[in-house]
Structures are given as C-alpha cells and as structure tokens.
Amino acid sequence: MGRPRKFDPDRAVAQAAETFRVNGYAETSPQDLADSIGIGKGSLYNTFGSKHELFLRSLEHYAGVSLHELRAVLDTEGPIRDRIRAMLTGFVDADLADPDRCGCLVVNSAVEMGPHDEHAARLLGRSFDSSQAVLHTAFIAAQQAGEIAAEKDPKALACLMQSTMIGLRVLAKARVDRSRFDAAIDAAIMAI
C-alpha cells in the first residue's frame, strides 16, 4: 500500500496554473512545478502523469475560474455598457498591476500552444466558446431590455468584446501606454 498524499491535488493544480502563467509551458520544467507545489518530482508524476497532463488540468482549472469571474461581472446590476467597461477595465487593471506582466494563462497558451498542441487547442476552443456564450447571453438580455438597438447583432457584439478583451491582454504584456487601453475600451463601448 502506497503512502498517503501529503498535498491537495486541487491546490496543486491551481499552483501549477500560476507557474505556467508566469513562465509559459516551454519554460516551466517538471522541477519548477514540483518546487512551486511543494512536492517531489516522483509525486508529481505519480499524481498527474506528466507535465503536459498537469498543464491541461491547470489550463482547464484556470479557464473555469476566469469564466466564473466573467460571469460575476456580467451578472451584476446596471447598464450593459457599464458592465462591459468594468469587465474590460478589470482585466486591464489586473494585468497592469502585475509588475512582471505575465498576462492570462488562457491567452498566453493560445499563442504558445494553440498552433501545435491539439489537446490544448481543443481546451482553449471550449474556453473561448464558453466566454463568448456568456457575453452573448448578456447582450441578448440587454437588447431585450432596450439597452441595445434592435439592429445590433448580440453574437457579433460578443465576438467583438471577446476579441477586444484578448487584444488588451496581449497589449498589457507588451507594456504599452495606459492611454492606448482607455482608447480601445472607449471604442469598444461605443460599438455596443
């Protein structure tokens, strides 16, 4: 009979997500993961199988937390334009507050892993589909409430806001001036 685990696998996945977010997949070694979680490499492999399997679990965890946060902002009371501004500004503020500008694990992984990792690409596609669906639902409700003109396409607005959100997160990594973010957010809000 094996020794009992001395760590929480769910917490380990969350910590691994942070390590991958900071370093990227390629630059994160199994030893980096073991050190960040506080376990030996043997325990890492016994519990998660491989670095790639832990990455996929971490990415799925991170995407789920991000989707929950998106829903929390969009489910608040108030006009849709204010909620969308809060969503976009919240992401920018969080990214700019990070002195290392590590960005979002989902966006970073889409750039790093999406083009050549089929498993990651599928998971990322589901994440993007889920966040777009949350935005789409919010725009449908806002249109039904008379906040958005009838001729506006809620699905196209959801796609635009998601693309804006992703673009802003990439710009934050590039350390561009804050005024560029504010201008982009203003333009996105005017499109609603």
Side-chain angles (χ1 to χ4, degrees):
M1 188 162 137
R3 292 183 301 183
R5 281 195 187 120
K6 295 185 180 182
F7 69 98
D8 178 351
D10 293 332
R11 275 198 191 141
V13 167
Q15 183 57 50
E18 181 62 12
T19 303
F20 284 122
R21 186 187 75 81
V22 170
N23 300 324
Y25 179 80
E27 295 298 317
T28 299
S29 70
Q31 188 62 55
D32 294 333
L33 292 165
D35 290 346
S36 73
I37 295 168
I39 61 173
K41 280 198 322 187
S43 293
L44 180 89
Y45 288 118
N46 287 337
T47 303
F48 301 108
S50 69
K51 170 185 162 180
H52 189 257
E53 288 176 42
L54 178 54
F55 168 73
L56 293 175
R57 283 185 62 181
S58 298
L59 182 59
E60 188 169 27
H61 165 79
Y62 185 95
V65 169
S66 296
L67 186 63
H68 176 76
E69 291 171 355
L70 177 65
R71 278 191 181 115
V73 171
L74 293 178
D75 287 348
T76 60
E77 295 294 319
I80 188 69
R81 287 170 182 83
D82 292 348
R83 290 181 283 147
I84 294 295
R85 183 178 296 281
M87 174 195 77
L88 295 174
T89 302
F91 285 126
V92 168
D93 289 346
D95 288 349
L96 295 181
D98 177 0
D100 297 322
R101 302 270 181 106
C102 296
C104 167
L105 180 60
V106 172
V107 173
N108 296 348
S109 298
V111 173
E112 181 184 7
M113 303 294 288
H116 60 271
D117 186 314
E118 179 182 329
H119 299 291
R122 263 197 312 274
L123 202 156
L124 291 161
R126 286 194 306 269
S127 174
F128 290 133
D129 289 348
S130 295
S131 62
Q132 189 171 5
V134 169
L135 287 160
H136 185 212
T137 299
F139 284 122
I140 288 171
Q143 193 171 51
Q144 291 170 346
E147 293 183 64
I148 298 175
E151 66 271 7
K152 296 280 186 172
D153 180 353
K155 190 168 189 173
L157 288 173
C159 185
L160 174 63
M161 293 311 137
Q162 182 181 53
S163 297
T164 301
M165 178 176 54
I166 292 167
L168 291 170
R169 300 204 91 171
V170 171
L171 287 174
K173 287 183 67 88
R175 300 181 183 273
V176 300
D177 184 73
R178 175 65 194 228
S179 64
R180 185 181 260 172
F181 296 104
D182 295 335
I185 291 170
D186 289 344
I189 299 304
M190 288 190 324
I192 297 175

